[in-house]
Amino acid sequence: MTSSEIRDDLFERIVAAHGGYYDILRDYQFEGRTFPAFASFHSHGEQYVLVKRAKMWEVETHDYLFFEKADHLSAANLEQEIEFVTSKGLAKVIPGPSHMSSALSLVIVANSADDEALKKAHKARFRKNFKLSLHGWADLRVAVVDLSRASGGRVTFNAAGKGLAKILTSNLALVEQSN
């Protein structure tokens, strides 16, 4: 298998792994760009006493996951991707009294990546509070899979993206086994 075929296989496995809980869109066009895949997850919870009109609390959480493929990921390319998600992607977040949090997630599967790009991915930080967090907040989650690293690949993620690492690492191991 060529490196592009391995990347595409891993990419498809990662997107499929999210299919059970996320709504997946392929060739997703957003703000003048086309992403190979986009996934969104929405959760709503509430507590009430005896009748639904006597609501004690209500909470909503959302995850917007932008998937991208790259032959080579440079620090400049990653910076552009992060800028796009934190500026344009932020429009997907609709804050309100019941909104608790939204995650703007970026997953990039690359045949290779610069060391500087991996450092930027690891150090990426973004949080936007809405009305002093009374209407929730939005966080940036970043994960980069670099297939050129030793033993088949390496997953790099920022602090908020730690939850993405498990699914990426397990799918990377499956791709390595099949090759």
Side-chain angles (χ1 to χ4, degrees):
M1 262 184 157
T2 67
S3 60
S4 291
E5 290 172 333
I6 293 169
R7 181 197 64 206
D8 293 343
D9 182 31
L10 175 61
F11 184 85
E12 291 304 320
R13 287 176 187 258
I14 292 168
V15 172
H18 285 85
Y21 298 99
Y22 287 71
D23 298 323
I24 307 288
L25 297 171
R26 297 299 186 130
D27 297 323
Y28 180 67
Q29 294 185 0
F30 179 69
E31 294 288 330
R33 294 215 21 220
T34 302
F35 291 89
F38 173 79
S40 61
F41 173 80
H42 309 282
S43 174
H44 177 86
E46 61 187 11
Q47 181 69 44
Y48 54 90
V49 180
L50 298 176
V51 293
K52 289 191 176 185
R53 285 182 295 156
K55 196 179 299 182
M56 293 173 59
W57 56 263
E58 179 180 28
V59 67
E60 295 177 359
T61 58
H62 308 277
D63 188 5
Y64 303 101
L65 192 53
F66 295 88
F67 292 98
E68 190 65 88
K69 293 189 273 188
D71 287 327
H72 179 74
L73 182 65
S74 67
N77 295 129
L78 180 63
E79 192 69 39
Q80 289 173 349
E81 296 286 345
I82 289 172
E83 173 62 29
F84 181 85
V85 171
T86 56
S87 62
K88 306 282 189 198
L90 193 59
K92 293 202 161 287
V93 179
I94 303 170
S98 62
H99 175 256
M100 185 175 85
S101 67
S102 291
L104 300 170
S105 304
L106 175 64
V107 175
I108 302 173
V109 180
N111 287 335
S112 64
D114 294 345
D115 289 335
E116 190 62 33
L118 298 178
K119 287 178 189 173
K120 279 190 181 289
H122 183 70
K123 292 180 179 183
R125 303 279 185 270
F126 176 83
R127 173 169 272 195
K128 171 79 171 161
N129 294 316
F130 304 102
K131 292 197 176 180
L132 300 173
S133 297
L134 293 173
H135 285 202
W137 63 88
D139 285 321
L140 173 67
R141 301 186 320 162
V142 176
V144 176
V145 180
D146 178 5
L147 295 172
S148 69
R149 300 297 164 157
S151 70
R154 175 180 168 193
V155 177
T156 303
F157 50 90
N158 68 348
K162 189 174 184 177
L164 296 169
K166 183 176 181 181
I167 198 163
L168 297 175
T169 305
S170 60
N171 280 289
L172 181 58
L174 290 172
V175 169
E176 289 174 1
Q177 288 176 359
S178 66
N179 290 326

